[in-house]
Amino acid sequence: TQLLEQSPQFLSIQEGENLTVYCNSSSVFSSLQWYRQEPGEGPVLLVTVVTGGEVKKLKRLTFQFGDARKDSSLHITAAQPGDTGLYLCAGERVGNQFYFGTGTSLTVIP
Amino acid sequence: EAGVTQSPTHLIKTRGQQATLRCSPISGHTSVYWYQQALGLGLQFLLWYDEGEERNRGNFPPRFSGRQFPNYSSELNVNALELEDSALYLCASSLPGGDQPQHFGDGTRLSIL
């Protein structure tokens, strides 16, 4: 059983479109991270959110942590081909236990 | 600042053999985590080391083991290799304490023939 479920699993969109990726759980996390992984490479940290309801922006990427710290979303505005990759959320629970989501594979078509 | 480094990049073994994977964390990071990423699957937590001690392990058989050295580098050992062990093995490191994000290496691709 996966503790963190991501949706959608696959997403293919045209350059310039907007998209939202969701990361959901029934468990509470002390913090949540979003990573992007490209083929042949390890995941690269994008952001960490800690406070319930927190919103962080990274250029065209907006990350939100749910009020109850059980879920998170990643919104990309005006997607570009360089945004293509596997997006992973990871939640931390007490005791440095990290749980990774199932991943969302994004393809942005030029 | 050098990132997390893993070696080797690729490793090819046959069933029943033993494999050793290595990881050097970012300077100042005392925690090292190991994950298995099989094709089409997410990251599955394997082991967590901090200050030389195994702090937690995931739901993997005992033939997956490791250790952390005084310089905080780490080894992952997999004994009696099976075909389903073929995967990308990722190492991550973090600063001590809670709510510290993990920084990943590029992984070791282990292929079992």
Side-chain angles (χ1 to χ4, degrees):
Chain A
T1 304
Q2 200 76 24
L3 200 61
L4 278 166
E5 296 287 343
Q6 286 185 240
S7 61
Q9 188 176 357
F10 298 97
L11 190 56
S12 182
I13 62 171
Q14 293 292 133
E15 182 177 358
E17 292 184 350
N18 302 331
L19 67 116
T20 302
V21 176
Y22 299 94
C23 175
N24 295 305
S25 177
S26 57
S27 299
V28 176
F29 297 98
S30 58
S31 69
L32 193 137
Q33 289 83 39
W34 282 93
Y35 294 83
R36 182 171 69 213
Q37 185 179 21
E38 299 189 27
E41 300 180 5
V44 174
L45 179 69
L46 296 174
V47 77
T48 298
V49 285
V50 179
T51 307
E54 182 176 3
V55 176
K56 280 192 174 179
K57 291 192 175 184
L58 185 65
K59 297 183 181 178
R60 294 175 293 100
L61 278 62
T62 302
F63 305 85
Q64 184 162 9
F65 202 10
D67 291 340
R69 291 185 291 138
K70 293 182 180 180
D71 51 74
S72 181
S73 64
L74 158 60
H75 183 78
I76 301 179
T77 304
Q80 298 178 0
D83 296 329
T84 293
L86 178 68
Y87 288 82
L88 296 160
C89 64
E92 182 184 4
R93 299 182 72 184
V94 174
N96 281 48
Q97 296 189 63
F98 284 86
Y99 299 88
F100 276 80
T102 47
T104 294
S105 180
L106 171 66
T107 301
V108 182
I109 303 166
Chain B
E1 174 183 86
V4 176
T5 58
Q6 291 187 244
S7 63
T9 305
H10 294 92
L11 191 57
I12 299 174
K13 295 284 186 178
T14 58
R15 288 178 60 188
Q17 286 189 313
Q18 183 258 352
T20 298
L21 288 62
R22 297 178 176 83
C23 172
S24 292
I26 292 172
S27 178
H29 287 194
T30 62
S31 280
V32 170
Y33 305 81
W34 287 96
Y35 294 88
Q36 181 193 68
Q37 187 176 33
L39 194 62
L41 299 177
L43 275 71
Q44 302 297 318
F45 168 70
L46 268 165
L47 291 159
W48 167 36
Y49 291 95
D50 184 63
E51 295 288 354
E53 299 284 332
E54 182 181 300
R55 301 296 184 181
N56 201 5
R57 67 178 293 131
N59 189 26
F60 280 84
R63 58 190 186 83
F64 287 84
S65 64
R67 54 181 173 168
Q68 186 179 33
F69 298 98
N71 66 354
Y72 303 113
S73 67
S74 177
E75 274 183 0
L76 173 68
N77 295 292
V78 188
N79 294 319
L81 287 164
E82 301 178 3
L83 292 176
E84 52 264 36
D85 296 334
S86 293
L88 180 67
Y89 288 83
L90 291 161
C91 170
S93 72
S94 73
L95 290 167
D99 295 334
Q100 298 292 345
Q102 300 179 25
H103 299 266
F104 284 83
D106 286 338
T108 292
R109 173 71 62 185
L110 177 62
S111 299
I112 312 302
L113 303 179

mmCIF file of all heavy atoms in Angstrom, chain A residues 65-99:
data_model
loop_
_atom_site.group_PDB
_atom_site.id
_atom_site.type_symbol
_atom_site.label_atom_id
_atom_site.label_comp_id
_atom_site.label_asym_id
_atom_site.label_seq_id
_atom_site.Cartn_x
_atom_site.Cartn_y
_atom_site.Cartn_z
ATOM 1 N N PHE A 65 0.890 23.262 0.397
ATOM 2 C CA PHE A 65 0.755 22.210 1.393
ATOM 3 C C PHE A 65 -0.645 22.326 1.978
ATOM 4 O O PHE A 65 -1.077 23.424 2.335
ATOM 5 C CB PHE A 65 1.798 22.410 2.491
ATOM 6 C CG PHE A 65 2.144 21.185 3.304
ATOM 7 C CD1 PHE A 65 1.713 19.923 2.938
ATOM 8 C CD2 PHE A 65 2.934 21.304 4.429
ATOM 9 C CE1 PHE A 65 2.050 18.806 3.682
ATOM 10 C CE2 PHE A 65 3.294 20.192 5.180
ATOM 11 C CZ PHE A 65 2.847 18.947 4.805
ATOM 12 N N GLY A 66 -1.368 21.238 2.075
ATOM 13 C CA GLY A 66 -2.724 21.280 2.585
ATOM 14 C C GLY A 66 -2.783 21.749 4.030
ATOM 15 O O GLY A 66 -1.820 21.586 4.782
ATOM 16 N N ASP A 67 -3.912 22.320 4.401
ATOM 17 C CA ASP A 67 -4.073 22.846 5.752
ATOM 18 C C ASP A 67 -3.806 21.775 6.817
ATOM 19 O O ASP A 67 -3.240 22.057 7.876
ATOM 20 C CB ASP A 67 -5.483 23.403 5.937
ATOM 21 C CG ASP A 67 -5.720 24.662 5.128
ATOM 22 O OD1 ASP A 67 -4.722 25.299 4.737
ATOM 23 O OD2 ASP A 67 -6.886 25.010 4.878
ATOM 24 N N ALA A 68 -4.237 20.549 6.529
ATOM 25 C CA ALA A 68 -4.077 19.462 7.486
ATOM 26 C C ALA A 68 -2.750 18.725 7.320
ATOM 27 O O ALA A 68 -2.489 17.741 8.020
ATOM 28 C CB ALA A 68 -5.227 18.463 7.337
ATOM 29 N N ARG A 69 -1.912 19.199 6.419
ATOM 30 C CA ARG A 69 -0.589 18.605 6.135
ATOM 31 C C ARG A 69 -0.690 17.139 5.721
ATOM 32 O O ARG A 69 0.153 16.308 6.067
ATOM 33 C CB ARG A 69 0.348 18.770 7.338
ATOM 34 C CG ARG A 69 0.736 20.222 7.562
ATOM 35 C CD ARG A 69 1.759 20.374 8.661
ATOM 36 N NE ARG A 69 1.191 20.069 9.957
ATOM 37 C CZ ARG A 69 1.811 19.364 10.895
ATOM 38 N NH1 ARG A 69 3.008 18.889 10.701
ATOM 39 N NH2 ARG A 69 1.221 19.145 12.046
ATOM 40 N N LYS A 70 -1.750 16.829 4.966
ATOM 41 C CA LYS A 70 -1.903 15.471 4.443
ATOM 42 C C LYS A 70 -1.755 15.430 2.930
ATOM 43 O O LYS A 70 -1.673 14.338 2.355
ATOM 44 C CB LYS A 70 -3.295 14.925 4.801
ATOM 45 C CG LYS A 70 -3.539 14.700 6.272
ATOM 46 C CD LYS A 70 -4.918 14.120 6.485
ATOM 47 C CE LYS A 70 -5.198 13.869 7.956
ATOM 48 N NZ LYS A 70 -6.547 13.293 8.163
ATOM 49 N N ASP A 71 -1.786 16.583 2.287
ATOM 50 C CA ASP A 71 -1.749 16.588 0.844
ATOM 51 C C ASP A 71 -1.045 17.831 0.335
ATOM 52 O O ASP A 71 -0.814 18.791 1.080
ATOM 53 C CB ASP A 71 -3.174 16.528 0.265
ATOM 54 C CG ASP A 71 -4.073 17.580 0.890
ATOM 55 O OD1 ASP A 71 -3.907 18.773 0.536
ATOM 56 O OD2 ASP A 71 -4.903 17.225 1.725
ATOM 57 N N SER A 72 -0.720 17.787 -0.951
ATOM 58 C CA SER A 72 -0.007 18.905 -1.551
ATOM 59 C C SER A 72 -0.322 18.954 -3.038
ATOM 60 O O SER A 72 -0.783 17.959 -3.621
ATOM 61 C CB SER A 72 1.500 18.749 -1.344
ATOM 62 O OG SER A 72 2.220 19.828 -1.907
ATOM 63 N N SER A 73 -0.102 20.099 -3.627
ATOM 64 C CA SER A 73 -0.293 20.235 -5.065
ATOM 65 C C SER A 73 0.856 21.027 -5.668
ATOM 66 O O SER A 73 1.500 21.847 -4.988
ATOM 67 C CB SER A 73 -1.624 20.917 -5.384
ATOM 68 O OG SER A 73 -1.632 22.243 -4.886
ATOM 69 N N LEU A 74 1.096 20.743 -6.924
ATOM 70 C CA LEU A 74 2.110 21.457 -7.709
ATOM 71 C C LEU A 74 1.420 21.979 -8.960
ATOM 72 O O LEU A 74 0.855 21.195 -9.726
ATOM 73 C CB LEU A 74 3.241 20.498 -8.091
ATOM 74 C CG LEU A 74 4.115 20.866 -9.303
ATOM 75 C CD1 LEU A 74 4.804 22.198 -9.095
ATOM 76 C CD2 LEU A 74 5.129 19.764 -9.573
ATOM 77 N N HIS A 75 1.434 23.283 -9.133
ATOM 78 C CA HIS A 75 0.813 23.902 -10.304
ATOM 79 C C HIS A 75 1.906 24.529 -11.162
ATOM 80 O O HIS A 75 2.761 25.255 -10.646
ATOM 81 C CB HIS A 75 -0.186 24.975 -9.875
ATOM 82 C CG HIS A 75 -0.908 25.615 -11.016
ATOM 83 N ND1 HIS A 75 -1.955 25.011 -11.675
ATOM 84 C CD2 HIS A 75 -0.708 26.802 -11.650
ATOM 85 C CE1 HIS A 75 -2.385 25.808 -12.641
ATOM 86 N NE2 HIS A 75 -1.642 26.889 -12.641
ATOM 87 N N ILE A 76 1.889 24.204 -12.446
ATOM 88 C CA ILE A 76 2.851 24.794 -13.392
ATOM 89 C C ILE A 76 2.084 25.675 -14.362
ATOM 90 O O ILE A 76 1.118 25.225 -15.000
ATOM 91 C CB ILE A 76 3.645 23.714 -14.148
ATOM 92 C CG1 ILE A 76 4.409 22.816 -13.164
ATOM 93 C CG2 ILE A 76 4.621 24.377 -15.124
ATOM 94 C CD1 ILE A 76 5.213 21.708 -13.827
ATOM 95 N N THR A 77 2.515 26.893 -14.476
ATOM 96 C CA THR A 77 1.907 27.850 -15.402
ATOM 97 C C THR A 77 2.729 27.927 -16.680
ATOM 98 O O THR A 77 3.965 27.959 -16.622
ATOM 99 C CB THR A 77 1.842 29.244 -14.753
ATOM 100 O OG1 THR A 77 1.131 29.150 -13.521
ATOM 101 C CG2 THR A 77 1.160 30.240 -15.669
ATOM 102 N N ALA A 78 2.045 27.942 -17.803
ATOM 103 C CA ALA A 78 2.707 28.079 -19.113
ATOM 104 C C ALA A 78 3.864 27.091 -19.248
ATOM 105 O O ALA A 78 5.030 27.491 -19.372
ATOM 106 C CB ALA A 78 3.190 29.518 -19.316
ATOM 107 N N ALA A 79 3.534 25.807 -19.210
ATOM 108 C CA ALA A 79 4.551 24.758 -19.233
ATOM 109 C C ALA A 79 5.471 24.872 -20.443
ATOM 110 O O ALA A 79 5.046 25.258 -21.546
ATOM 111 C CB ALA A 79 3.883 23.390 -19.213
ATOM 112 N N GLN A 80 6.728 24.515 -20.214
ATOM 113 C CA GLN A 80 7.738 24.535 -21.270
ATOM 114 C C GLN A 80 8.348 23.148 -21.414
ATOM 115 O O GLN A 80 8.319 22.354 -20.469
ATOM 116 C CB GLN A 80 8.818 25.563 -20.919
ATOM 117 C CG GLN A 80 8.275 26.982 -20.811
ATOM 118 C CD GLN A 80 9.342 27.984 -20.412
ATOM 119 O OE1 GLN A 80 10.506 27.640 -20.213
ATOM 120 N NE2 GLN A 80 8.942 29.244 -20.284
ATOM 121 N N PRO A 81 8.919 22.837 -22.575
ATOM 122 C CA PRO A 81 9.529 21.510 -22.774
ATOM 123 C C PRO A 81 10.559 21.169 -21.692
ATOM 124 O O PRO A 81 10.706 20.001 -21.337
ATOM 125 C CB PRO A 81 10.181 21.638 -24.151
ATOM 126 C CG PRO A 81 9.315 22.618 -24.873
ATOM 127 C CD PRO A 81 8.920 23.627 -23.822
ATOM 128 N N GLY A 82 11.225 22.163 -21.144
ATOM 129 C CA GLY A 82 12.205 21.924 -20.091
ATOM 130 C C GLY A 82 11.587 21.458 -18.790
ATOM 131 O O GLY A 82 12.300 21.016 -17.888
ATOM 132 N N ASP A 83 10.269 21.535 -18.676
ATOM 133 C CA ASP A 83 9.578 21.054 -17.467
ATOM 134 C C ASP A 83 9.346 19.544 -17.516
ATOM 135 O O ASP A 83 8.926 18.941 -16.531
ATOM 136 C CB ASP A 83 8.219 21.750 -17.310
ATOM 137 C CG ASP A 83 8.347 23.243 -17.082
ATOM 138 O OD1 ASP A 83 9.356 23.677 -16.470
ATOM 139 O OD2 ASP A 83 7.447 23.992 -17.534
ATOM 140 N N THR A 84 9.609 18.947 -18.656
ATOM 141 C CA THR A 84 9.415 17.504 -18.817
ATOM 142 C C THR A 84 10.238 16.731 -17.802
ATOM 143 O O THR A 84 11.413 17.044 -17.582
ATOM 144 C CB THR A 84 9.803 17.075 -20.244
ATOM 145 O OG1 THR A 84 8.878 17.650 -21.172
ATOM 146 C CG2 THR A 84 9.779 15.557 -20.394
ATOM 147 N N GLY A 85 9.617 15.730 -17.182
ATOM 148 C CA GLY A 85 10.327 14.911 -16.202
ATOM 149 C C GLY A 85 9.352 14.171 -15.317
ATOM 150 O O GLY A 85 8.135 14.262 -15.484
ATOM 151 N N LEU A 86 9.899 13.440 -14.368
ATOM 152 C CA LEU A 86 9.104 12.718 -13.382
ATOM 153 C C LEU A 86 9.058 13.554 -12.113
ATOM 154 O O LEU A 86 10.091 13.871 -11.545
ATOM 155 C CB LEU A 86 9.741 11.351 -13.091
ATOM 156 C CG LEU A 86 9.043 10.488 -12.031
ATOM 157 C CD1 LEU A 86 7.681 10.036 -12.541
ATOM 158 C CD2 LEU A 86 9.905 9.283 -11.672
ATOM 159 N N TYR A 87 7.862 13.915 -11.688
ATOM 160 C CA TYR A 87 7.686 14.722 -10.492
ATOM 161 C C TYR A 87 7.296 13.811 -9.333
ATOM 162 O O TYR A 87 6.339 13.033 -9.428
ATOM 163 C CB TYR A 87 6.635 15.810 -10.715
ATOM 164 C CG TYR A 87 7.151 16.899 -11.629
ATOM 165 C CD1 TYR A 87 7.131 16.740 -13.016
ATOM 166 C CD2 TYR A 87 7.700 18.069 -11.110
ATOM 167 C CE1 TYR A 87 7.633 17.723 -13.856
ATOM 168 C CE2 TYR A 87 8.195 19.061 -11.937
ATOM 169 C CZ TYR A 87 8.166 18.877 -13.315
ATOM 170 O OH TYR A 87 8.676 19.843 -14.146
ATOM 171 N N LEU A 88 8.044 13.927 -8.259
ATOM 172 C CA LEU A 88 7.840 13.074 -7.090
ATOM 173 C C LEU A 88 7.580 13.927 -5.868
ATOM 174 O O LEU A 88 8.279 14.914 -5.635
ATOM 175 C CB LEU A 88 9.084 12.219 -6.828
ATOM 176 C CG LEU A 88 9.464 11.196 -7.889
ATOM 177 C CD1 LEU A 88 10.927 10.805 -7.750
ATOM 178 C CD2 LEU A 88 8.577 9.969 -7.767
ATOM 179 N N CYS A 89 6.578 13.535 -5.087
ATOM 180 C CA CYS A 89 6.405 14.170 -3.785
ATOM 181 C C CYS A 89 6.921 13.192 -2.729
ATOM 182 O O CYS A 89 6.919 11.978 -2.939
ATOM 183 C CB CYS A 89 4.952 14.550 -3.518
ATOM 184 S SG CYS A 89 3.788 13.181 -3.421
ATOM 185 N N ALA A 90 7.376 13.722 -1.628
ATOM 186 C CA ALA A 90 7.890 12.893 -0.536
ATOM 187 C C ALA A 90 7.483 13.528 0.787
ATOM 188 O O ALA A 90 7.739 14.713 1.005
ATOM 189 C CB ALA A 90 9.400 12.758 -0.619
ATOM 190 N N GLY A 91 6.858 12.745 1.634
ATOM 191 C CA GLY A 91 6.435 13.251 2.930
ATOM 192 C C GLY A 91 7.311 12.684 4.036
ATOM 193 O O GLY A 91 7.714 11.531 3.985
ATOM 194 N N GLU A 92 7.603 13.536 4.998
ATOM 195 C CA GLU A 92 8.399 13.101 6.134
ATOM 196 C C GLU A 92 7.512 12.956 7.359
ATOM 197 O O GLU A 92 6.720 13.841 7.666
ATOM 198 C CB GLU A 92 9.522 14.091 6.440
ATOM 199 C CG GLU A 92 10.407 13.647 7.605
ATOM 200 C CD GLU A 92 11.467 14.651 7.988
ATOM 201 O OE1 GLU A 92 11.478 15.754 7.401
ATOM 202 O OE2 GLU A 92 12.279 14.343 8.883
ATOM 203 N N ARG A 93 7.677 11.831 8.042
ATOM 204 C CA ARG A 93 6.965 11.633 9.294
ATOM 205 C C ARG A 93 7.967 11.620 10.436
ATOM 206 O O ARG A 93 9.176 11.660 10.219
ATOM 207 C CB ARG A 93 6.161 10.333 9.239
ATOM 208 C CG ARG A 93 5.120 10.352 8.138
ATOM 209 C CD ARG A 93 4.301 9.091 8.104
ATOM 210 N NE ARG A 93 3.379 9.010 9.228
ATOM 211 C CZ ARG A 93 2.607 7.963 9.456
ATOM 212 N NH1 ARG A 93 2.664 6.907 8.676
ATOM 213 N NH2 ARG A 93 1.780 7.956 10.485
ATOM 214 N N VAL A 94 7.482 11.542 11.617
ATOM 215 C CA VAL A 94 8.345 11.587 12.800
ATOM 216 C C VAL A 94 9.403 10.502 12.711
ATOM 217 O O VAL A 94 9.106 9.371 12.338
ATOM 218 C CB VAL A 94 7.512 11.398 14.081
ATOM 219 C CG1 VAL A 94 8.420 11.303 15.299
ATOM 220 C CG2 VAL A 94 6.524 12.536 14.236
ATOM 221 N N GLY A 95 10.634 10.863 13.030
ATOM 222 C CA GLY A 95 11.710 9.885 12.998
ATOM 223 C C GLY A 95 12.421 9.813 11.665
ATOM 224 O O GLY A 95 13.039 8.805 11.347
ATOM 225 N N ASN A 96 12.376 10.928 10.914
ATOM 226 C CA ASN A 96 13.065 10.973 9.613
ATOM 227 C C ASN A 96 12.623 9.868 8.672
ATOM 228 O O ASN A 96 13.415 9.360 7.886
ATOM 229 C CB ASN A 96 14.588 10.899 9.798
ATOM 230 C CG ASN A 96 15.171 12.231 10.197
ATOM 231 O OD1 ASN A 96 14.658 12.872 11.092
ATOM 232 N ND2 ASN A 96 16.203 12.651 9.523
ATOM 233 N N GLN A 97 11.370 9.453 8.760
ATOM 234 C CA GLN A 97 10.865 8.458 7.833
ATOM 235 C C GLN A 97 10.274 9.168 6.621
ATOM 236 O O GLN A 97 9.325 9.939 6.749
ATOM 237 C CB GLN A 97 9.796 7.599 8.498
ATOM 238 C CG GLN A 97 10.317 6.768 9.651
ATOM 239 C CD GLN A 97 9.284 5.785 10.140
ATOM 240 O OE1 GLN A 97 8.874 4.895 9.417
ATOM 241 N NE2 GLN A 97 8.840 5.954 11.370
ATOM 242 N N PHE A 98 10.866 8.905 5.464
ATOM 243 C CA PHE A 98 10.409 9.525 4.232
ATOM 244 C C PHE A 98 9.615 8.529 3.399
ATOM 245 O O PHE A 98 10.002 7.380 3.240
ATOM 246 C CB PHE A 98 11.602 10.027 3.417
ATOM 247 C CG PHE A 98 12.215 11.287 3.953
ATOM 248 C CD1 PHE A 98 13.179 11.223 4.943
ATOM 249 C CD2 PHE A 98 11.825 12.525 3.486
ATOM 250 C CE1 PHE A 98 13.755 12.380 5.452
ATOM 251 C CE2 PHE A 98 12.390 13.688 3.984
ATOM 252 C CZ PHE A 98 13.352 13.614 4.969
ATOM 253 N N TYR A 99 8.510 9.019 2.856
ATOM 254 C CA TYR A 99 7.659 8.197 2.005
ATOM 255 C C TYR A 99 7.488 8.928 0.678
ATOM 256 O O TYR A 99 7.065 10.084 0.663
ATOM 257 C CB TYR A 99 6.297 7.956 2.653
ATOM 258 C CG TYR A 99 6.384 7.223 3.957
ATOM 259 C CD1 TYR A 99 6.567 7.916 5.143
ATOM 260 C CD2 TYR A 99 6.303 5.835 3.997
ATOM 261 C CE1 TYR A 99 6.669 7.247 6.351
ATOM 262 C CE2 TYR A 99 6.390 5.159 5.201
ATOM 263 C CZ TYR A 99 6.578 5.862 6.366
ATOM 264 O OH TYR A 99 6.679 5.195 7.551
#
